[in-house]
Amino acid sequence: MKLVAFCLFALCCWSLDNMSANANNQYLQRRKLQEVLRRLNTVKASLQDSKQSVNTPPQDIEDCCCLSALQCFRENLHVEFNVSTTNHFYRSLKHNLTEGGLDFCNSRNSTCQACQSHPKENAKEFFNRLQSLIQKVNGFCFISPTEAKGKVPVALHILI
């Protein structure tokens, strides 16, 4: 009987620790996305007046294509706007917490458009859509991918 009680206690402790680690990771992702938004405002102010037209992912990106869209934005920043890979903003976009925050897809079977197939938009629209993507994801940071459609927060899901 004591062995069964000990095993149940160990299982509960492991479960709580696992939930704590997941909550901590979500907190770090949210903080990183907020940092990206702050840095974006600085870069946006200096580059949005550019006359360049660049391939820009659409405003209404499917959840499974958020990471692909981020990679497209990042590639265009580097190639079209000459943003260095050592730039703080570029590194923030490439950070694994940022990518983890945008990776909503459980299956890799999603068919996302290639970056070159997106229509060309002016620099101002490019930065507005990047900002919109980060804000959208930042709002869903504490919602699991399967619950995002129903918008039920993870904390409520755990209580149910």
Side-chain angles (χ1 to χ4, degrees), residues 33-96:
L33 291 171
Q34 289 169 346
E35 174 194 324
V36 167
L37 283 172
R38 282 192 309 275
R39 292 184 190 275
L40 172 60
N41 288 330
T42 306
V43 171
K44 184 178 174 181
S46 65
L47 294 176
Q48 75 177 357
D49 293 332
S50 173
K51 302 292 183 209
Q52 286 181 287
S53 290
V54 293
N55 297 97
T56 306
Q59 186 78 30
D60 55 340
I61 299 169
E62 295 178 27
D63 285 346
C64 281
C65 294
C66 286
L67 187 57
S68 172
L70 175 70
Q71 292 166 346
C72 181
F73 282 118
R74 198 172 52 219
E75 178 184 319
N76 280 319
L77 281 167
H78 181 63
V79 174
E80 302 295 334
F81 294 104
N82 297 321
V83 173
S84 169
T85 57
T86 59
N87 178 288
H88 289 294
F89 177 61
Y90 186 87
R91 286 192 343 229
S92 290
L93 284 177
K94 196 162 179 65
H95 197 277
N96 62 351

Side-chain angles (χ1 to χ4, degrees), residues 61-156:
I61 299 169
E62 295 178 27
D63 285 346
C64 281
C65 294
C66 286
L67 187 57
S68 172
L70 175 70
Q71 292 166 346
C72 181
F73 282 118
R74 198 172 52 219
E75 178 184 319
N76 280 319
L77 281 167
H78 181 63
V79 174
E80 302 295 334
F81 294 104
N82 297 321
V83 173
S84 169
T85 57
T86 59
N87 178 288
H88 289 294
F89 177 61
Y90 186 87
R91 286 192 343 229
S92 290
L93 284 177
K94 196 162 179 65
H95 197 277
N96 62 351
L97 286 172
T98 305
E99 290 184 347
L102 277 97
D103 192 8
F104 288 126
C105 204
N106 290 334
S107 69
R108 298 291 170 218
N109 297 344
S110 175
T111 53
C112 303
Q113 280 184 282
C115 190
Q116 294 76 18
S117 68
H118 293 298
K120 290 192 179 248
E121 300 285 348
N122 64 28
K124 185 173 184 173
E125 185 62 25
F126 173 84
F127 286 108
N128 286 340
R129 288 190 187 172
L130 175 56
Q131 184 175 21
S132 175
L133 173 67
I134 301 298
Q135 287 172 337
K136 169 188 168 187
V137 172
N138 197 23
F140 285 108
C141 206
F142 287 104
I143 299 174
S144 71
T146 56
E147 295 164 339
K149 296 211 186 302
K151 296 180 179 68
V152 177
V154 171
L156 290 178

